[in-house]
């Protein structure tokens, strides 16, 4: 089978993948399955061998990532429903004067973007941010997108967000490395996007229904960001513990034990509790006290877990089928053909995963789909391109941020709840997401050229 035919078949498969999802709204899992099976048949693997590869790869991929994604989603749901996310946001707002409040929103969004999907963070916290906008007279065209963009960048680059969690597992990237390098790239990307959003001059008031309790209360003289309706929220340290504890355990296991070559009982214990799956489960256990006396209730110990499982179903299934796509690519000559073309064109190989993820995200509207699908496509190609899996992971996570517009649920949630028009949403969210992705991509490129990743 010629290289030209192989490349054309691969290119058509990716084009059809994007078309089915973006134009015909076919579910990503069904679409990926169709593409994987069709690609296997077109590349001469045969029906029986194709299905054998698909089922084996699906099972082996879920063995790596299934529980990780499930526990990550359960942890996010617990933080959402316990009030911990709101506590983190309100605490961040107390650290900054009213004129600097957008930076408090950005800080809270970054922290919450580690366990929460960006859409969820916006839906949860838009009442708090709207109250802040009403009291400080800061435009929602600034504050709403800032609330979204911090979580959006983090959930594209830093585990245990479902996208980066699945991508790092699929690529075999150490979770401690994925977290630290993801943070190193994400923070300056958020900084650049936030600085851009602060330059926007257009004033947009918050939605009236979100600040009705404040208008009834008699005006906007105060600068306190917390709504009048006091809710009993958990303490800040309790709210942060489930977020930070798994990260600390994973990083200690990944770096300290290996670097110091601790080969004793202590080292074994640290490696055990720092196993990413167990560390995330420990994070879930650490979230139980957030519910006070309700932690023993069925609604907490059972129903919450089921809600997390429902949230995890799509990322888990998508990751498994993505692993099957990687197996098909690995079992054919696609990887070698693509590597030869890139070499002939003189392209830097680190550009490839960035562009693949950017194309998928921009066309389908999903950064999670972008980072996961790009990782599945790039995993069998990375060795032939001579790029480390860590570099591929970071390139996928930055490319998958470009760009949010009218085909994205996150775009519509943030635009609608921030009382913006579609044009204002594109000027704020769309441009900010493009800037964050390009900034992150540039950082990754420099790190790659310097040989640091």
């Amino acid at each position: 089978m010629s290289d030209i035919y192989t490349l054309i078949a691969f290119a058509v498969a990716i084009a059809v993948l994007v078309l089915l999802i973006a134009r015909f709204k076919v579910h990503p899992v069904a679409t990926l399955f169709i593409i994987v099976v069709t690609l296997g048949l077109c590349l001469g693997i045969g029906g029986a061998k194709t299905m054998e590869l698909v089922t084996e790869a699906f099972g082996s991929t879920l063995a790596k990532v299934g529980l990780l994604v499930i526990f990550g989603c359960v942890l996010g749901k617990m933080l959402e429903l316990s009030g911990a996310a709101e506590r983190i946001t309100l605490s961040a707002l107390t650290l900054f004067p009213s004129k600097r409040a957008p930076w408090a929103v950005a800080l809270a969004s970054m922290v919450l973007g580690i366990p929460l999907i960006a859409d969820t963070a916006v839906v949860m916290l838009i009442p708090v941010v709207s109250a802040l906008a009403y009291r400080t007279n800061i435009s929602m065209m600034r504050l709403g997108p800032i609330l979204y963009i911090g979580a959006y960048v983090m959930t594209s680059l830093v585990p245990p967000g479902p996208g980066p969690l699945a991508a790092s597992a699929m690529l075999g990237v150490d979770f401690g490395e994925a977290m630290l390098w993801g943070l190193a790239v994400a923070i300056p990307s958020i900084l650049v996007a936030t600085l851009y959003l602060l330059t926007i001059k257009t004033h947009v008031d918050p939605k009236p229904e979100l600040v009705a309790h404040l208008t009834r209360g008699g005006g906007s003289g105060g600068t306190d960001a917390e709504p009048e309706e006091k809710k009993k929220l958990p303490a800040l340290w309790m709210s942060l513990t489930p977020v930070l504890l798994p990260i600390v355990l994973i990083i200690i296991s990944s770096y300290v034990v290996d670097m110091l070559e601790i080969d004793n009982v202590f080292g074994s214990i640290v490696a055990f509790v720092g196993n990413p799956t167990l560390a995330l489960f420990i994070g879930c256990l650490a979230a139980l006290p957030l519910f006070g006396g309700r932690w023993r209730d069925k609604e907490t110990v059972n129903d919450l877990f089921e809600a997390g499982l429902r949230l995890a179903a799509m990322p888990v299934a998508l990751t498994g089928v993505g692993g099957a796509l990687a197996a098909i690519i690995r079992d054919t000559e696609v990887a070698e053909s693509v590597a030869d073309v890139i070499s002939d064109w003189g392209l830097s190989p680190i550009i490839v995963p960035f562009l693949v993820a950017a194309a998928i995200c921009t066309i389908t509207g999903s950064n999670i789909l972008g980072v996961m699908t790009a990782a599945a496509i790039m995993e069998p190609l990375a060795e032939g391109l001579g790029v480390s899996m860590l570099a591929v992971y970071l390139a996928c996570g930055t490319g998958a941020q470009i760009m949010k517009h009218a085909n994205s649920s996150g775009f519509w949630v943030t635009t609608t709840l921030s009382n913006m028009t579609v044009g204002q949403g594109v000027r704020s969210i769309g441009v900010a997401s493009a800037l964050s992705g390009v900034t992150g991509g540039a950082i990754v490129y420099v790190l790659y050229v310097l040989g640091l990743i």
Side-chain angles (χ1 to χ4, degrees), residues 152-159 163-165 178-179 181-183 185-187 189 367 371 393-399 401 436 440 444:
Y152 175 67
V153 174
M154 295 296 278
T155 201
S156 300
L157 275 167
V158 182
L165 191 64
M179 288 176 175
W181 284 104
L183 285 169
V185 174
I187 291 173
S189 302
N367 62 317
V371 67
Y393 166 78
L394 294 173
C396 290
T398 52
Q401 295 168 38
S436 69
V444 172

Side-chain angles (χ1 to χ4, degrees), residues 70-135:
I70 289 171
F71 291 151
C73 290
V74 170
L75 176 58
K77 204 67 181 175
M78 296 177 81
L79 293 173
E80 173 190 344
L81 297 180
S82 65
E86 187 173 347
R87 167 56 66 202
I88 292 170
T89 303
L90 294 174
S91 298
L93 290 171
T94 64
L95 298 176
F96 294 81
S98 59
K99 290 184 179 179
R100 303 290 182 185
W103 292 104
V105 176
L107 175 62
S109 181
M110 284 170 54
V111 174
L112 295 173
I114 296 175
L116 293 179
I117 295 173
D119 303 32
T120 301
V122 171
V123 171
M124 286 175 54
L125 299 174
I126 202 68
V128 176
V129 171
S130 297
L132 175 66
Y134 178 79
R135 288 186 166 109

Side-chain angles (χ1 to χ4, degrees), residues 410-422 424-426 429:
F411 175 89
W412 282 112
V413 165
T414 308
T415 298
T416 303
L417 295 180
S418 298
N419 206 25
M420 295 189 291
T421 65
V422 174
Q424 290 169 339
V426 172
I429 302 164

Side-chain angles (χ1 to χ4, degrees), residues 110 114 153-154 157-160 164 168 173-189 244 246-256 258-259 390 393-394 398 443-444 447 452-453:
M110 284 170 54
I114 296 175
V153 174
M154 295 296 278
L157 275 167
V158 182
S168 56
V173 177
D174 179 85
F175 286 99
E177 281 192 318
M179 288 176 175
L180 286 181
W181 284 104
L183 285 169
V185 174
I187 291 173
S189 302
L244 301 180
I247 295 175
V248 171
L249 291 175
I250 291 170
I251 290 176
I252 290 176
S253 176
S254 297
Y255 286 92
V256 176
D258 292 339
M259 288 173 59
L390 175 60
Y393 166 78
L394 294 173
T398 52
I443 294 170
V444 172
L447 293 173
L452 297 175
I453 58 174

Side-chain angles (χ1 to χ4, degrees), residues 158-231:
V158 182
L165 191 64
S168 56
M170 194 179 301
L171 294 168
V173 177
D174 179 85
F175 286 99
E177 281 192 318
M179 288 176 175
L180 286 181
W181 284 104
L183 285 169
V185 174
I187 291 173
S189 302
I190 295 170
L191 176 64
V192 170
T194 302
L195 286 172
Y196 162 73
L197 290 167
L198 291 177
T199 67
I200 293 177
K201 303 299 183 184
T202 305
H203 185 81
V204 175
D205 289 323
K207 289 177 76 70
E209 56 266 37
L210 293 176
V211 293
H213 63 291
L214 299 177
T215 57
R216 288 195 302 269
S220 56
T223 57
D224 183 7
E226 190 166 359
E228 264 72 62
E229 297 176 4
K230 300 289 185 180
K231 292 190 293 185

Side-chain angles (χ1 to χ4, degrees), residues 82-414:
S82 65
E86 187 173 347
R87 167 56 66 202
I88 292 170
T89 303
L90 294 174
S91 298
L93 290 171
T94 64
L95 298 176
F96 294 81
S98 59
K99 290 184 179 179
R100 303 290 182 185
W103 292 104
V105 176
L107 175 62
S109 181
M110 284 170 54
V111 174
L112 295 173
I114 296 175
L116 293 179
I117 295 173
D119 303 32
T120 301
V122 171
V123 171
M124 286 175 54
L125 299 174
I126 202 68
V128 176
V129 171
S130 297
L132 175 66
Y134 178 79
R135 288 186 166 109
T136 60
N137 203 34
I138 298 175
S139 174
M140 283 300 294
M141 197 170 168
R142 293 181 177 186
L143 291 181
I146 288 174
L147 172 63
Y148 178 74
I149 206 71
Y152 175 67
V153 174
M154 295 296 278
T155 201
S156 300
L157 275 167
V158 182
L165 191 64
S168 56
M170 194 179 301
L171 294 168
V173 177
D174 179 85
F175 286 99
E177 281 192 318
M179 288 176 175
L180 286 181
W181 284 104
L183 285 169
V185 174
I187 291 173
S189 302
I190 295 170
L191 176 64
V192 170
T194 302
L195 286 172
Y196 162 73
L197 290 167
L198 291 177
T199 67
I200 293 177
K201 303 299 183 184
T202 305
H203 185 81
V204 175
D205 289 323
K207 289 177 76 70
E209 56 266 37
L210 293 176
V211 293
H213 63 291
L214 299 177
T215 57
R216 288 195 302 269
S220 56
T223 57
D224 183 7
E226 190 166 359
E228 264 72 62
E229 297 176 4
K230 300 289 185 180
K231 292 190 293 185
K232 188 175 181 181
L233 300 174
L236 178 62
W237 71 269
M238 292 177 64
S239 301
L240 287 173
T241 297
V243 179
L244 301 180
L245 181 59
I247 295 175
V248 171
L249 291 175
I250 291 170
I251 290 176
I252 290 176
S253 176
S254 297
Y255 286 92
V256 176
V257 174
D258 292 339
M259 288 173 59
L260 300 180
E261 298 181 355
I262 301 175
D263 188 17
N264 52 30
V265 175
F266 174 75
S268 299
I269 293 173
V270 172
F272 175 64
V273 297
N275 176 279
T277 302
L278 184 58
L280 283 175
F281 185 69
I282 291 173
C284 294
L285 295 179
L288 288 175
L290 296 172
F291 295 89
R294 295 180 293 129
W295 75 268
R296 294 183 295 268
D297 296 348
K298 174 181 176 294
E299 288 79 8
T300 302
V301 296
N302 182 79
D303 296 357
L304 255 179
F305 205 90
E306 288 191 357
L309 284 173
R310 288 192 292 271
L311 188 63
M314 199 278 277
V316 167
L318 187 59
T319 304
V321 184
L325 175 60
I328 294 293
I329 296 173
R330 193 183 304 110
D331 202 67
T332 63
E333 298 176 354
V334 170
E336 293 80 0
S337 300
V338 172
D340 290 342
V341 168
I342 292 170
S343 177
D344 293 341
W345 287 2
L347 294 174
S348 174
I350 195 64
I351 300 296
V352 179
F354 179 86
L355 293 178
V356 170
I360 293 172
C361 177
T362 300
I363 297 172
T364 66
S366 170
N367 62 317
I368 293 176
L369 181 63
V371 67
M372 292 168 66
T373 307
I377 293 170
M378 293 306 302
E379 188 270 332
L381 303 179
E383 184 177 352
L385 295 174
V387 186
S388 73
M389 291 299 184
L390 175 60
V392 170
Y393 166 78
L394 294 173
C396 290
T398 52
Q401 295 168 38
I402 302 174
M403 67 174 276
K404 304 304 277 188
H405 57 94
N407 64 349
S408 162
S409 62
F411 175 89
W412 282 112
V413 165
T414 308

